[in-house]
């Protein structure tokens, strides 16, 4: 394989049974729609050099057992540029995907629209965007793989418009190609790694791991159901009749494995302040422990697609539990940043389109409230999560696993389907801040915690969380 893989080479890297779709027919005038002198000759040379008749190869294949429509760009054919015939093939591929209920995998390597066809080439982006939107509305996943280079309209449609975006290491990725950027532009900003760091792509995948990773993503995103989420067997869900079993699965259908008592508290807190101390304890299990115990395997998504990530505050992705796909958005015990909320909203809406239930784990002292958070749109980001949960098209189940700090925690909670572990609390405001607002001395913080009624059993009495049967 060459350093810059051809369309056929990248297809061979991810599948063994690629079958090309028929080419839509189009009659063209000499030298194309603009009568661009020498265009036919350039087209013929590209065909001879690459063995292809256009800049894209479209077909069907199985990737690690999952059938999909694959769209592979041939950069050696006029820079992988999009023209009218390219648009014809892309449109046909997307239509085939919808007709046969198949996910779409664009393997992108393009410099943008074809200059020799002028505005007619540029308008192919509208065709592609429409086909992508129709496929999204049909509930079919789109997983893009960014190769070198992915620039211009190809990045702004097939690449950035996908549900999950994988990228090969070192690939040039950006709307501006290398020849049209400002002369002083930092080339490091136009890389796959930079796009992941900026939240515009999910992860970088080495070529040797691409087939396996792509296959896992395809299985997850095509294996979800809109039914009830199966019960985790992680911390806080130790036995039949536990909150997660009741909330997420039928005891007659799902039998959670026992959980060692050391993984979490078992008895309920006696006071509000004890609930706070338990939730803040360093030894309490965090989101990673719950997710690892619950899922057989999981894959993360990253980034809000608006220039931000929150890897320390919000974990989002899809996992497999007993053969079923579940989406998750989990706070990690730190103050959640705006990018974290926007990533969670993106996750919940994607899960809804794909018919996948959602599990949210609440654990935050509150939303980040520093000046940067305000400049990054904290209020709008939290509102976006409230909206995503309120309008979710699939079941959302919430477990409070630690601190439930005000609206920054409530945004992720499912109304009428929120549960809590014994080592958690949920409060309109932290007891210390409530005492300060009420002008009470520090000695009254513990009393204030009791007055706020923030223990799990208090929350159940108030109807804020669900009460497990038999308790």
């Amino acid at each position: 394989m060459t350093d810059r893989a051809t369309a056929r080479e990248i297809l061979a890297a991810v599948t063994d049974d690629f079958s090309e779709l028929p080419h839509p027919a189009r009659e063209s005038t000499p030298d194309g729609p603009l009568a661009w002198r020498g265009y036919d000759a350039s087209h013929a040379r590209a065909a001879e050099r690459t063995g292809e008749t256009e800049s894209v190869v479209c077909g069907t294949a199985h990737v690690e057992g999952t059938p999909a429509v694959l769209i592979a760009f041939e950069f050696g054919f006029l820079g992988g540029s999009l023209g009218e015939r390219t648009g014809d093939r892309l449109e046909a591929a997307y239509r085939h995907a919808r007709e046969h209920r198949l996910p779409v995998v664009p393997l992108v390597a393009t410099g943008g629209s074809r200059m020799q066809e002028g505005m007619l080439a540029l308008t192919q982006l509208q065709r592609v965007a429409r086909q992508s939107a129709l496929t999204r509305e049909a509930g079919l996943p789109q997983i893009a793989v960014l190769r070198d280079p992915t620039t211009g309209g190809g990045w702004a449609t097939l690449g950035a418009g996908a549900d999950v975006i994988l990228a090969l290491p070192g690939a040039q990725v950006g709307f501006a190609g290398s020849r049209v950027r400002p002369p002083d532009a930092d080339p490091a900003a136009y890389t796959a790694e930079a796009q992941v760091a900026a939240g515009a792509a999910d992860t970088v995948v080495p070529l040797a791991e691409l087939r396996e990773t792509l296959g896992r993503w395809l299985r997850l995103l095509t294996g979800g159901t809109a039914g009830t989420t199966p019960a985790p067997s992680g911390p806080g869900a130790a036995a039949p009749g536990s909150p997660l079993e009741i909330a997420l699965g039928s005891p007659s259908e799902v039998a959670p494995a026992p959980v060692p008592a050391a993984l979490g508290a078992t008895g309920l807190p006696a006071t509000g302040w004890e609930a706070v101390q338990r939730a803040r304890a360093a030894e309490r299990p965090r989101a990673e422990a719950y997710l690892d115990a619950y899922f057989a395997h999981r894959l993360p998504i990253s980034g809000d697609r608006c220039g931000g990530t929150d890897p320390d505050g919000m974990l989002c992705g899809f996992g497999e539990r007993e053969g079923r796909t579940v989406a998750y958005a989990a706070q990690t015990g730190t103050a959640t940043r705006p990018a974290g909320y926007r990533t969670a909203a993106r996750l919940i809406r994607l899960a809804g389109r794909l018919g996948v239930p959602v599990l949210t784990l609440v654990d935050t002292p509150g939303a980040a409230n520093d000046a940067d958070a305000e400049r990054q749109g904290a209020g709008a980001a939290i509102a976006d999560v409230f909206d995503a949960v309120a309008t979710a098209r699939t079941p959302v189940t919430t477990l409070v696993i630690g601190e439930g700090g005000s609206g920054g925690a409530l945004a992720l909670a499912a109304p009428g389907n929120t549960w809590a572990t014994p080592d958690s609390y949920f409060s309109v405001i932290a007891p210390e801040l409530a005492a300060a607002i009420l002008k009470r001395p520090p000695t009254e913080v513990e009393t204030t915690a009791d007055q706020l009624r923030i223990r799990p059993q208090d929350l159940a009495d108030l109807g804020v969380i669900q009460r497990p049967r038999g308790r």
Side-chain angles (χ1 to χ4, degrees), residues 89-390:
R89 296 189 184 195
L90 293 172
E91 185 173 66
Y94 273 98
R95 284 179 174 170
H96 183 90
R98 292 195 299 275
E99 290 169 0
H100 297 271
R101 303 296 302 166
L102 296 174
V104 180
V105 180
L107 302 156
V108 189
T110 174
S113 300
R114 192 167 299 170
M115 292 180 297
Q116 295 93 330
E117 295 185 21
M119 279 301 298
L120 292 178
L122 190 63
T123 58
Q124 301 310 304
L125 302 180
Q126 295 171 319
R127 293 178 72 187
V128 173
R130 173 172 171 75
Q131 292 304 313
S132 178
L134 291 173
T135 303
R136 189 177 301 114
E137 289 177 4
L140 298 170
Q142 300 171 67
I143 305 173
V145 177
L146 311 182
R147 299 154 56 209
D148 183 42
T150 298
T151 59
W155 164 231
T157 51
L158 291 152
D163 299 315
V164 174
I165 304 173
L166 313 178
L168 296 182
Q172 179 187 170
V173 180
F175 185 66
S178 59
R179 298 183 182 181
V180 296
R181 298 171 193 156
D184 58 347
D186 179 7
Y190 301 85
T191 63
E193 289 77 7
Q195 297 294 350
V196 171
D202 291 293
T203 188
V204 171
V205 181
L207 181 60
E209 301 173 14
L210 181 59
R211 181 186 292 216
E212 180 183 0
T213 302
L214 184 56
R216 290 177 66 189
W217 268 116
L218 286 168
R219 285 195 303 274
L220 282 173
L221 298 191
T222 59
T225 68
T228 307
T229 309
S233 58
S242 65
L244 277 180
E245 181 184 8
I246 297 167
L248 303 181
S250 167
S252 63
E253 298 175 354
V254 180
V259 175
L263 284 179
T266 54
L268 293 171
T271 67
W273 187 243
E274 182 186 342
V276 173
Q277 289 179 308
R278 283 196 192 185
R280 295 176 180 174
E283 65 272 14
R284 173 181 59 78
R286 262 55 178 186
E288 287 274 9
Y290 283 87
L291 296 174
D292 288 344
Y294 182 21
F295 293 115
H297 67 86
R298 57 189 173 93
L299 290 172
I301 67 168
S302 176
D304 60 5
R305 301 300 187 259
C306 300
T309 62
D310 186 17
D312 298 325
M314 184 75 76
L315 305 177
C316 293
F318 291 81
E320 183 179 306
R321 170 74 178 184
E322 297 181 352
R324 288 180 284 180
T325 300
V326 180
Y328 62 86
Q331 292 171 316
T332 64
T334 65
T336 308
R337 304 205 63 79
Y341 289 113
R342 285 191 287 263
T343 304
R346 171 193 160 208
L347 180 281
I348 294 167
R349 293 189 176 108
L350 173 57
R353 292 200 307 270
L354 300 179
V356 175
V358 180
L359 171 66
T360 63
L361 301 181
V362 168
D363 185 9
T364 180
N369 58 6
D370 54 78
D372 282 343
E374 291 300 331
R375 282 191 285 264
Q376 293 161 8
I382 296 170
D384 197 28
V385 177
F386 271 116
D387 179 80
V389 172

Side-chain angles (χ1 to χ4, degrees), residues 9 15 40 53 57-58 75 88 110 126 133 188 210-211 229 348 390 424 451 455:
E9 287 174 331
T15 185
D40 284 348
T53 57
V57 179
C58 304
F75 187 76
D88 292 341
T110 174
Q126 295 171 319
L210 181 59
R211 181 186 292 216
T229 309
I348 294 167
S424 68
Q451 288 181 300
R455 300 175 303 170

Side-chain angles (χ1 to χ4, degrees), residues 418-464:
T418 293
W419 307 75
T421 63
D423 45 4
S424 68
Y425 78 89
F426 217 145
S427 181
V428 64
I429 192 172
E432 299 93 330
L433 298 179
I437 291 172
L438 295 172
K439 298 182 179 180
R440 294 178 177 180
T443 56
E444 294 190 31
V445 168
E446 295 184 20
T447 301
T448 302
D450 285 333
Q451 288 181 300
L452 287 169
R453 300 194 66 188
I454 60 179
R455 300 175 303 170
Q457 60 266 45
D458 296 327
L459 299 170
D461 289 339
L462 293 169
V464 176

